[in-house]
């Protein structure tokens, strides 16, 4: 059995992706930072939103890259006839899709992750996130055609997150196993706490992860290193 390889990079993905060869990646699964409300504020003082709706992550949403800045690089590094999954919310979905299509991606579907928990809101409680399911080149079937639906339920992580937008590993495994094969190379340019990397190790995919924040990079490295031991 070949040893699964992973390459974790501390740095700005806008620069670090320049070092990745054209069409060398089999799959992209990523959750880029994006604003969740106007200005990314969470103190509730400038609107009627309830106080404390978001976690206290001062500065986390400052100076976040726009989809226009990274979408063409995602397209460049992906192999032809492969998939790309990008998490979004309702506010950013239109911009992300527009920039993805301008970069050359085609839309396969908009998937919905039902999180089985709700975020308070005066405009319907939010219990899901959206995922742009994109393709490069001609259409490619997913691996589990008969069992995979556009709306899928995976419990959100409640109360013990190591990253403000941490995703369940089982959710990421769902996408990875549907759109890649064993020993393929998966890229997450916004690695965060490394959940995509853990999912890759668990499904025997090779992984490249890029993270700008040193604290989260160290958490990701520890989690992925530990997952290889089991």
């Amino acid at each position: 059995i070949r040893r699964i390889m992973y390459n974790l990079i501390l740095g700005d993905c806008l620069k670090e992706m320049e070092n990745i060869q054209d069409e060398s990646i089999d799959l992209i699964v990523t959750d880029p930072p994006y604003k969740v409300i106007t200005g990314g504020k969470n103190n509730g003082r400038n609107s009627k939103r309830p106080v404390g709706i978001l976690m206290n992550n001062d500065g986390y949403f400052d100076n976040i890259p726009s989809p226009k800045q990274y979408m063409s690089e995602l397209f460049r590094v992906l192999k032809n006839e492969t998939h790309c999954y990008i998490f979004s919310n309702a506010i950013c979905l239109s911009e992300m899709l527009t920039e993805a299509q301008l970069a050359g991606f085609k839309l396969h579907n908009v998937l919905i992750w039902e999180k089985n928990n709700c975020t308070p809101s005066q405009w319907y409680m939010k219990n899901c996130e959206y995922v742009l399911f994109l393709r490069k080149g001609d259409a490619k079937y997913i691996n589990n055609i008969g069992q995979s639906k556009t709306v899928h339920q995976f419990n959100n992580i409640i109360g013990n997150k190591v990253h403000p937008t941490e995703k369940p590993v089982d959710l990421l495994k769902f996408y990875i196993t549907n759109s890649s094969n064993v020993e393929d190379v998966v890229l997450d340019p916004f690695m965060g706490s490394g959940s995509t990397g853990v999912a890759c190790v668990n499904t025997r995919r090779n992984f490249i992860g890029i993270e700008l924040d040193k604290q989260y990079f160290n958490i990701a490295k520890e989690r992925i290193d530990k997952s290889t031991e089991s």
Side-chain angles (χ1 to χ4, degrees):
I1 299 176
R2 290 184 58 182
R3 182 172 178 267
I4 295 301
M5 305 296 292
Y6 55 93
N7 180 17
L8 310 183
I9 303 167
L10 176 62
D12 184 346
C13 71
L14 299 178
K15 297 179 180 178
E16 298 298 338
M17 278 196 292
E18 295 176 359
N19 299 320
I20 299 177
Q21 294 182 353
D22 293 358
E23 299 194 347
S24 60
I25 302 298
D26 297 291
L27 170 65
I28 292 174
V29 179
T30 194
D31 182 18
Y34 48 79
K35 291 183 178 180
V36 291
I37 55 175
T38 304
K41 302 300 182 183
N42 68 337
N43 56 24
R45 290 178 296 193
N46 298 321
S47 73
K48 296 180 181 180
R49 289 175 64 97
V51 175
I53 229 170
L54 298 174
M55 298 172 64
N56 184 18
N57 298 290
D58 292 340
Y60 181 77
F61 295 104
D62 295 343
N63 303 314
I64 60 176
S66 67
K68 184 176 182 178
Q69 291 178 280
Y70 56 78
M71 205 65 76
S72 60
E73 278 296 280
L74 299 186
F75 186 83
R76 178 185 66 80
V77 302
L78 259 183
K79 293 179 181 178
N80 197 38
E81 297 184 20
T82 56
H83 294 157
C84 175
Y85 294 82
I86 304 179
F87 284 85
S88 181
N89 62 2
I91 296 172
C92 302
L93 191 63
S94 176
E95 179 188 5
M96 281 191 176
L97 178 56
T98 297
E99 294 300 336
Q101 291 174 326
L102 287 173
F105 284 110
K106 303 296 183 183
L107 178 67
H108 254 321
N109 216 325
V110 177
L111 306 178
I112 296 175
W113 166 37
E114 187 176 346
K115 302 191 290 186
N116 298 329
N117 76 298
C118 295
T119 301
S121 174
Q122 63 270 47
W123 301 290
Y124 297 97
M125 292 188 292
K126 298 177 181 178
N127 67 332
C128 73
E129 286 190 31
Y130 304 97
V131 183
L132 287 177
F133 175 36
L134 309 169
R135 63 178 169 91
K136 177 177 178 177
D138 292 339
K140 169 191 172 182
Y141 290 171
I142 59 173
N143 291 329
N144 192 353
I145 297 174
Q147 300 297 319
S148 301
K149 302 176 182 179
T150 55
V151 179
H152 34 268
Q153 296 180 330
F154 290 86
N155 289 335
N156 195 15
I157 302 168
I158 306 297
N160 58 347
K161 289 186 177 182
V162 293
H163 187 280
T165 62
E166 183 181 353
K167 299 296 183 289
V169 170
D170 284 346
L171 170 66
L172 300 169
K173 287 167 63 176
F174 176 64
Y175 298 143
I176 290 167
T177 55
N178 253 337
S179 290
S180 66
N181 299 310
V182 170
E183 297 183 0
D184 277 355
V185 179
V186 180
L187 170 67
D188 184 351
F190 300 97
M191 179 171 61
S193 60
S195 296
T196 304
V198 173
C200 285
V201 171
N202 290 347
T203 56
R204 294 199 54 75
R205 270 68 169 174
N206 297 301
F207 176 67
I208 299 175
I210 307 172
E211 175 55 41
L212 179 63
D213 186 283
K214 186 174 182 180
Q215 177 185 354
Y216 292 130
F217 176 86
N218 290 335
I219 291 173
K221 185 178 186 306
E222 181 179 356
R223 292 182 69 205
I224 296 169
D225 286 345
K226 186 175 181 180
S227 69
T228 63
E229 299 170 1
S230 56

